[in-house]
């Protein structure tokens, strides 16, 4: 997955001439955007999970083609708060995209391995199914022949299902994070 191409494609779809979807965030001060004991430097701080989840939920409900404006309402403001808030948001969602992609790559590797094991198991089951065809055609041999065939195909079902449908799971979070990373950030008093 080439994330830069996906990001450019996604950003081209946004209609800049439309009024933005405004996502209000109400806080006392910039310190509430991140955790007090976050080990990252101030601009690299991780966004408070409650705020992150709220923003992701709001973006999921917004039209894909509408621009976004995160409107932060601080009770107390000082110089540089807008830039710092924008940095925290951009860095947080950049990190979220990166971490989601790493997790997706690991998941794909895991399911490829499971698929290979499933194919091997299917081959073994089909082999045993064919072995039971050699013996006289009584009820037990026929049941064993069909059982091995069915077990082999059932074992392959979940890895095949992932490659057909499951690989798309989590793409909404990546898309929403890309949109939030590129959203306008404004401070309202």
């Amino acid at each position: 997955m080439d994330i830069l191409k996906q990001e450019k494609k996604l950003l081209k779809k946004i209609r800049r001439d439309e009024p933005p979807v405004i996502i209000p965030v109400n806080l006392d001060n910039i310190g509430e955007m991140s955790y007090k004991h976050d080990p990252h430097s101030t601009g690299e701080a991780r966004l408070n999970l409650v705020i992150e989840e709220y923003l992701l939920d709001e973006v999921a409900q917004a039209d894909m083609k509408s621009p976004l404006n995160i409107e932060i309402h601080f009770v107390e403001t000082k110089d540089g708060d807008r830039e710092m808030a924008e940095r925290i948001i951009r860095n947080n969602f950049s990190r979220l995209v990166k971490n989601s992609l790493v997790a997706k790559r690991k998941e794909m590797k895991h399911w490829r391995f499971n698929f290979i094991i499933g194919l091997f198991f299917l081959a073994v089951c089909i082999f045993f199914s064919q072995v039971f065809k050699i013996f006289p055609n009584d009820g037990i041999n026929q049941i064993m022949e069909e059982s091995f065939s069915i077990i082999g195909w059932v074992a392959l079902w979940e890895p095949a299902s992932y490659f057909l449908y499951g690989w798309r799971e989590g793409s909404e979070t990546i898309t929403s994070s890309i949109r939030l990373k590129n959203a306008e950030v404004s401070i309202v008093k």
Side-chain angles (χ1 to χ4, degrees), residues 116-133:
I116 290 168
I117 290 172
L119 285 174
F120 178 74
F121 185 74
L122 175 63
V124 169
C125 287
I126 288 176
F127 171 77
F128 280 117
S129 175
Q130 295 302 314
V131 167
F132 280 102
K133 279 187 175 181

Side-chain angles (χ1 to χ4, degrees), residues 45-166:
R46 182 141 199 258
L47 191 61
N48 182 316
L49 287 177
V50 174
I51 298 170
E52 179 181 294
E53 188 176 314
Y54 166 72
L55 291 172
L56 288 169
D57 287 345
E58 291 296 311
V59 170
Q61 297 172 23
D63 180 20
M64 285 292 292
K65 295 179 181 176
S66 296
L68 300 175
N69 185 349
I70 302 170
E71 201 172 78
I72 303 174
H73 300 264
F74 285 137
V75 174
E76 306 166 14
T77 60
K78 52 187 176 202
D79 290 342
D81 279 356
R82 193 198 72 73
E83 292 79 13
M84 184 60 67
E86 185 174 4
R87 241 175 98 194
I88 291 171
I89 289 170
R90 291 201 195 302
N91 289 335
N92 185 79
F93 288 107
S94 293
R95 187 173 30 248
L96 187 59
V97 168
K98 180 182 169 194
N99 292 344
S100 296
L101 290 174
V102 167
K104 185 56 74 178
R105 283 187 197 107
K106 285 181 181 178
E107 189 177 292
M108 290 290 283
K109 184 178 180 182
H110 168 79
W111 282 108
R112 275 193 301 269
F113 184 71
N114 285 355
F115 189 70
I116 290 168
I117 290 172
L119 285 174
F120 178 74
F121 185 74
L122 175 63
V124 169
C125 287
I126 288 176
F127 171 77
F128 280 117
S129 175
Q130 295 302 314
V131 167
F132 280 102
K133 279 187 175 181
I134 296 171
F135 297 112
N137 196 7
D138 65 350
I140 297 290
N141 288 338
Q142 190 173 3
I143 289 172
M144 294 303 288
E145 175 188 336
E146 290 178 17
S147 294
F148 274 108
S149 180
I150 290 169
I151 288 170
W153 286 109
V154 167
L156 193 59
W157 170 250
E158 197 164 340
S161 174
Y162 176 80
F163 285 111
L164 291 172
Y165 313 109

Side-chain angles (χ1 to χ4, degrees), residues 162-181:
Y162 176 80
F163 285 111
L164 291 172
Y165 313 109
W167 63 271
R168 293 182 300 221
E169 291 176 10
S171 62
E172 298 86 19
T173 301
I174 293 171
T175 302
S176 294
S177 295
I178 290 170
R179 291 187 67 203
L180 285 163
K181 177 179 112 174

